[in-house]
């Protein structure tokens, strides 16, 4: 059974940083694409970033230059470093696993975590 468990969310002031983690069990993530999505209150899911099996990355324009996705194959964990946070980054952040070339589409991913709350105060 595949499980994705996120951690690292919290409350931070604008301009601050957080590092989110997504621990994967039941699959070796090195052969898959790992993505991060977020859902703000009253809004639909928004793509944030993806890290494909060949280590290529792709970011939403709204987070480019501020967020960094990475993975540790030995720990079977993917990370999302959030820097220069803004109040509009407030959302539940979820990680997802999909085929190696999965991109920005939510439907491209097969497995999802429950999410971790990130709240940025102004």
């Amino acid at each position: 059974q595949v499980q994705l468990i996120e951690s690292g969310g919290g409350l931070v002031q604008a301009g601050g940083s957080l590092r989110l983690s997504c621990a994967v069990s039941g699959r070796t993530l090195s052969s898959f694409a790992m993505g991060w999505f977020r859902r703000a209150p009253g809004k639909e899911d928004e793509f944030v970033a993806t890290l494909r099996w060949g280590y290529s990355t792709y970011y939403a324009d709204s987070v480019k230059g501020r967020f960094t996705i990475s993975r540790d194959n030995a720990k079977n964990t993917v990370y999302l470093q959030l820097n220069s946070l803004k109040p509009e980054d407030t959302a539940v952040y979820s990680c997802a696993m999909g085929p190696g070339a999965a991109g920005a589409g939510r439907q491209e991913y097969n497995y999802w975590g429950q999410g971790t709350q990130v709240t940025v105060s102004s």
Side-chain angles (χ1 to χ4, degrees):
Q1 184 180 356
V2 179
Q3 283 191 314
L4 283 67
I5 300 176
E6 300 96 336
S7 61
L11 174 63
V12 64
Q13 289 188 332
S17 298
L18 285 172
R19 189 177 79 156
L20 307 183
S21 299
C22 174
V24 179
S25 61
R27 286 285 191 279
T28 301
L29 66 81
S30 60
S31 298
F32 295 87
M34 298 297 299
W36 284 94
F37 290 75
R38 65 186 183 185
R39 178 176 291 186
K43 295 187 177 181
E44 296 185 350
D45 283 353
E46 178 189 15
F47 167 77
V48 175
T50 187
L51 174 58
R52 295 176 169 138
W53 72 272
Y55 287 92
S56 62
T57 56
Y58 178 58
Y59 296 91
D61 287 344
S62 59
V63 307
K64 202 173 295 182
R66 299 189 298 122
F67 292 6
T68 303
I69 188 171
S70 62
R71 71 183 185 214
D72 185 332
N73 290 338
K75 295 182 178 180
N76 224 37
T77 298
V78 64
Y79 304 98
L80 186 67
Q81 179 68 40
L82 289 64
N83 295 331
S84 302
L85 281 162
K86 305 174 182 179
E88 52 263 44
D89 294 319
T90 294
V92 175
Y93 285 71
S94 298
C95 65
M97 172 184 278
R106 194 185 191 286
Q107 71 281 358
E108 299 179 66
Y109 295 84
N110 307 114
Y111 303 101
W112 291 81
Q114 292 298 308
T116 186
Q117 176 70 47
V118 172
T119 302
V120 185
S121 62
S122 56

